[in-house]
Structures are given as structure tokens and as C-alpha cells.
Amino acid sequence: MQLAGMASNRGRNLLNIADRAPGGVEFAVVLSNDPDAPVLEQARERGIPTEVVPKDGDETRREHELRVEEALEAYEFDLVTMDGYMRILTEAFVEGQPTILNVHPSLLPAFPGMDAHEQVLKAGVRQTGCTVHVVDETVDGGPIVTQEPVPVFEGDDVDDLKERVLYRGEFRAYPRAVRWFAEDRVTVDREAGTVSVEGDEEGTFPARRVSSEDRAADLRYGENPHQDAALYADPTCDEASVVHAPQRNEGAKGMGYNNYNDADAALNIVKEFDEPACAVIKHTNPAGAAVADSISEAYADALSTDPKSAFGGIVALNRECDAATAEQIVESFKEVVVAPGYTDDALETLFEKDNLRVLDVSDRFETTETLTEKDLVGGRLVQERDLQSLSPDDLEVVTDRVPTDEQIESMLFAWQTIKHVKSNAILFAKGTETVGVGAGQVSRVDAVEIAKMKAESDAEGKDAEGAVMASDAFFPFPDGIEAAAEAGIEAVIQPGGSVNDDDVIETADELGMTMVMTGTRCFRHD
């Protein structure tokens, strides 16, 4: 798509569009009515042809437009983009051109005209923005293509608003609108005065995302002491969340960036289970996890997986923390404990540790937040939350040996837990407790070796003999199965899907192991 740009001054929006080329657009020409407009030199530096059509003193508006039209006739273009073109266009000019777009520095129809920022400040509104609209014979009255909200902060002046609206509003909205035109997604009905955009509707992944969170706390620092950090909260979240969990021991030091990150990871594991469950987290990975008949047993089983790594870790429970559990928690150093409530005796015990943060989350563990997000430099990844929960019917037995009911129960526990281990991930489990965890390795067989080492060296009162192994993705080679057999693993749950599946299955058969495939993987890369 070819564009004709019209500006009277710096034309920063036009230059931004030229640099970003949304939808592959190019400028056929940039025209100004001011020979000294800075946009002209900037356009030429980008190799864009320019035209200057100043208004003569005795010319009428239409006479000047006719000369503008004559200058534009030398170029082929599909869309006109205006940016601070300080001339009101006549109906004749508008009708004689392709669709004309303009950007206005407010959320129209509020605050039209030349002094939008002054109007915003005078009105005392807390949100402004910009509007990209189709130009008609009215002033700032054409049908709206897209808008972008921008906050107004205490103490703002006109210059503050002007820069924020430009960089955080116009530089986002204008290229978006141009890209939609380039993708032939916009229908303009001039008679009805309406604009419709194909695909710009509500859905899981809408064409535009507008979100707002409130700053809930200033944190002591970020991942490292030289990084500043803050916590933002979504007040509409109904699901149990560490963000909204009050800290019961108010005199203790506050939560930090890493504390929140790890506590969230721990809480998400115990939400997986209906029975009493505990997870002990270190650097967002489980040092141990378990399901048991009581919450104190679950904690003991989880801790015994790797008490060495659990030092300074985060504990999450899916039941009220009782005195028996609290007494175990304080036996070694922990940073945070998260639970849906505490008995008075448990709080008394936990409060004895000055540096232990005690978070009281709600018991609403049913999922309401269905998406997860990760910020990137210059953007954001959004995906559906991994809510898979397998049943025995979902498992395909691929070996000669068939798993027992006990092995299937252990496999399903391991699968629900390994979803929360960083890839490449391997998890050993016996019954409904972990035995060894290999997390975040670039080689799957290395992850097996680490889980094996953890089970042999760091687990207390349990080992991998007769245990099951879960893998978050397929085994590319049989070496992972061979290493698992050396550790005493007798059953394997994995997604399958490798070109070497037959070799892997054959190796499992030769080693007398049972293996099931899920047909789905559960990578966790962040």
C-alpha cells in the first residue's frame, strides 16, 4: 500500500509510520503547506519524495486545495495520512481523495479542537489518549478507526501530556490503523459515517489489548538489589492469588520480587490437587511436592524430597495450616509460607520466625484466570494457561508391561506436578510424593541424571527404587530411559511423538519397564 502524507510541521507520526512500515506500507510522497516544515528534510533523508504547496495570501481555501490536488496527481497512493496538517479540508477535497486518516490527541468526541491537552487538564480527567479517525468535512468529527488510552497523572502539564500521548498513544494507534488498511480489514461507509474493522472483536486473543493494573506495593528491589521493582494488582481477579494475600505478620519484612514470583509458582502447584497438598519451591521450581491424607504429612513428604534445596524456600499449602505443620516449617529456614488460613496455634509458632513472611490466601482455587502473560522487550506473549488434567483413560500403554493401578496414580500425580517444573524437566515420584526433580536443563538425559542424583543423594527416607518417572516432552533417544533404569525407575509417563519412539519403547521393554504416552506435552519455559 502506498501512502500520501500531509503535515505542516515535524510530522513525527508520519516519520514513525515510515520507519515501522506497518503492513509493508511505503510513502509515495509527503506534502506540506510550509516550506520550512522539518518533516520535509526528514522525509528526504528517508528517500521519500516531497512536495511543498504554500498558500498564497489571497487564495481561497479551495483554490489552495486545487494546487495540492495537482501536486498529488503525480503520485499513486491508496491512503492519505495527515499529521498536524494545519488546514481544514473542504468536502470537495475529501471526496476527491482516497480515504484520509488523521490522528487527534484526545479520546474523541471529548476534547476536540486545537487545545485538546489544555482541555484535558482543565477538566481534571484521569485518562486521555488519542483517536485515529477518517477525515470528513467536519473538524475532528469523522468516524473513528481506533483509539489508545493514556493516563493523566497528578502534576502533569501540557508538555507532559503532549509527549506521553505521542509516544504511548499516537505511535501505537496510528501504525495499527494503517496496518489494518494495508491488510484490507477496514470498511469505510462514507454515507453512513461508519467504520468497521474485520477481526476487531472480543475473544481470547483480541486484535487490541487494553489492560490496567493498580500499583499495590513498592518492593524493596527486583530480582537483584540494583533493580527497582513494584507490584501491580488486578482488583478483578477472583482466583486465590499471592498478589491479593495479606501478610499476617505485619512486623516482618515485606515481600520482595523473587518472593512473589516463587510464592505464585508454589501456590499454582497445590491448586492442582483436591487432596491435602504441599509444594516447597526454590527459584520457581519445586524442590519437592506431595499429596497426603493430612497437610502435615504432605509437608513432610514434600520436604523430604530435597531438604537441602528447600533451605530458604517457599512453602505453599492447599489446606489451613495447623500447628503440626507450622512446627515442621519453622525447623529450617523458609522465606514465605502461603496457605488458605491458619489456626491460632500455627500463627503463634510461625510468628516466632522474624524473617518468615506468612501469606493468607483465599480458598478459591477454581480457575478464573485463563491466560498467562510474559513481557518481552517491545511486546508481550499471551497464552492459554496449561490447565490439562489427565485421567487414566488419557494414557496409552505402549510397552509389553502394563502399569499397575498404583503406578497409574503415581504417574498422574507426577504429570500434574511436572507442569510446574522448568523445561527440560524430569520428575521421579513414588505414590503421590516426589523423589527427585531435574529442572531447567538443555539436555533431557542431563535432567534425568540430576533427578537421579537428587533421589540418591538428597532425598531423605526414600529413593527412586520402583518409582515412576515423568518427562514433560518426548525422549529423543533411549539414553534417558537407560539412565532412569539405572536409578531403579520402573514406570515412565511421557508425551511421545519422537521419531525415535520405537527405539525408546523397545529399550523400555528390554529393561522390563512400563511406559505410557499422553499425546500432549507440558513445557514450561519461563
Side-chain angles (χ1 to χ4, degrees):
M1 174 173 277
Q2 296 291 305
L3 308 180
M6 298 174 65
S8 298
N9 195 359
R10 288 188 284 178
R12 289 188 288 180
N13 276 297
L14 302 187
L15 299 174
N16 180 55
I17 292 169
D19 292 340
R20 296 191 182 192
V25 301
E26 296 179 346
F27 276 93
V29 62
V30 168
L31 180 145
S32 179
N33 61 337
D34 184 349
D36 296 322
V39 68
L40 296 171
E41 181 180 353
Q42 291 290 320
R44 295 185 195 112
E45 289 179 358
R46 289 165 170 78
I48 301 171
T50 62
E51 295 285 344
V52 181
V53 186
K55 182 180 179 299
D56 294 338
D58 57 351
E59 253 184 339
T60 67
R61 183 162 41 134
R62 183 59 189 145
E63 287 172 339
H64 177 248
E65 286 180 345
L66 289 172
R67 292 199 297 118
V68 171
E69 290 173 350
E70 183 179 0
L72 292 176
E73 283 178 359
Y75 304 91
E76 293 186 2
F77 52 90
D78 311 290
L79 185 70
V80 178
T81 51
M82 296 173 59
D83 180 22
Y85 186 71
M86 306 305 291
R87 302 292 301 166
I88 297 175
L89 303 179
T90 66
E91 183 177 358
F93 183 87
V94 171
E95 291 182 351
Q97 301 298 324
T99 298
I100 304 174
L101 295 184
N102 191 29
V103 61
H104 181 77
S106 77
L107 297 176
L108 292 173
F111 314 122
M114 296 285 293
D115 58 347
H117 301 310
E118 289 86 346
Q119 294 180 61
V120 165
L121 293 173
K122 184 177 181 180
V125 299
R126 294 304 179 189
Q127 183 165 278
T128 182
C130 72
T131 301
V132 181
H133 64 95
V134 174
V135 174
D136 59 17
E137 66 278 7
T138 66
V139 176
D140 300 331
I144 293 170
V145 179
T146 190
Q147 294 179 307
E148 190 72 22
V150 175
V152 181
F153 296 123
E154 195 71 32
D156 274 345
D157 59 22
V158 169
D159 289 338
D160 295 329
L161 278 187
K162 186 175 182 179
E163 290 300 295
R164 190 180 306 126
V165 170
L166 176 67
Y167 286 104
R168 294 175 57 177
E170 297 170 28
F171 275 16
R172 292 178 179 178
Y174 215 161
R176 176 196 304 142
V178 169
R179 175 171 54 83
W180 285 348
F181 274 91
E183 293 170 349
D184 197 24
R185 294 169 55 188
V186 184
T187 301
V188 178
D189 188 331
R190 292 195 180 189
E191 290 188 8
T194 60
V195 168
S196 61
V197 180
E198 180 184 351
D200 187 27
E201 64 267 331
E202 178 69 17
T204 303
F205 303 109
R208 293 173 295 125
R209 297 185 72 246
V210 178
S211 63
S212 175
E213 295 83 33
D214 300 328
R215 190 174 65 192
D218 290 317
L219 304 181
R220 289 179 294 131
Y221 52 80
E223 286 182 291
N224 300 291
H226 63 275
Q227 296 170 269
D228 291 336
L231 174 70
Y232 286 81
D234 176 5
T236 66
C237 176
D238 293 325
E239 185 176 342
S241 163
V242 296
V243 173
H244 300 290
Q247 187 172 324
R248 295 296 297 271
N249 49 346
E250 296 179 0
K253 62 182 179 181
M255 292 279 288
Y257 182 101
N258 294 331
N259 298 144
Y260 274 112
N261 202 25
D262 289 342
D264 178 68
L267 181 60
N268 285 334
I269 292 180
V270 299
K271 286 178 182 178
E272 296 278 358
F273 304 104
D274 294 329
E275 302 81 7
C278 171
V280 181
I281 288 286
K282 196 70 173 291
H283 301 302
T284 71
N285 279 306
V291 170
D293 293 333
S294 70
I295 200 66
S296 62
E297 291 178 80
Y299 174 79
D301 292 342
L303 180 70
S304 64
T305 303
D306 190 357
K308 179 178 69 175
S309 296
F311 182 85
I314 310 290
V315 176
L317 313 172
N318 69 354
R319 293 290 192 280
E320 181 184 63
C321 180
D322 56 21
T325 308
E327 288 167 2
Q328 296 180 76
I329 291 173
V330 299
E331 286 177 358
S332 62
F333 173 55
K334 301 294 188 302
E335 290 273 6
V336 181
V337 58
V338 183
Y342 301 83
T343 66
D344 291 340
D345 290 342
L347 287 176
E348 184 177 350
T349 299
L350 295 172
F351 287 176
E352 293 174 359
K353 296 292 184 177
D354 293 338
N355 292 326
L356 176 64
R357 275 61 62 88
V358 180
L359 298 188
D360 196 346
V361 298
S362 79
D363 59 0
R364 296 192 294 271
F365 286 177
E366 64 278 5
T367 299
T368 63
E369 301 298 300
T370 58
L371 300 177
T372 62
E373 303 181 13
K374 177 179 174 60
D375 283 336
L376 305 178
V377 175
R380 179 176 296 182
L381 293 171
V382 181
Q383 67 171 346
E384 293 180 334
R385 201 163 161 186
D386 187 356
L387 299 176
Q388 59 177 304
S389 179
L390 303 183
S391 71
D393 293 339
D394 296 315
L395 307 180
E396 178 189 4
V397 180
V398 294
T399 51
D400 295 335
R401 181 177 169 186
V402 176
T404 65
D405 290 343
E406 291 78 10
Q407 286 174 326
I408 289 176
E409 179 187 27
S410 189
M411 288 175 175
L412 294 176
F413 162 79
W415 189 258
Q416 292 306 112
T417 305
I418 202 173
K419 290 195 310 180
H420 302 274
V421 182
K422 287 186 180 179
S423 299
N424 285 322
I426 293 291
L427 187 143
F428 293 175
K430 266 188 176 180
T432 55
E433 60 182 282
T434 52
V435 174
V437 181
Q441 301 306 304
V442 294
S443 164
R444 189 156 301 279
V445 69
D446 286 350
V448 176
E449 292 290 355
I450 290 175
K452 174 183 171 185
M453 178 271 291
K454 285 291 186 181
E456 292 173 349
S457 303
D458 295 331
E460 292 186 353
K462 53 188 174 183
D463 55 40
E465 191 65 39
V468 308
M469 174 175 70
S471 174
D472 64 344
F474 62 64
F475 289 93
F477 304 104
D479 53 1
I481 303 302
E482 294 166 347
E486 292 175 2
I489 296 295
E490 295 184 359
V492 178
I493 179 171
Q494 60 129 325
S498 169
V499 295
N500 291 323
D501 272 353
D502 290 344
D503 293 341
V504 171
I505 294 169
E506 182 180 351
T507 299
D509 281 330
E510 291 173 354
L511 295 170
M513 302 169 75
T514 181
M515 180 183 293
V516 302
M517 292 184 175
T518 65
T520 180
R521 75 181 187 199
C522 53
F523 272 161
R524 179 188 158 214
H525 277 191
D526 59 359

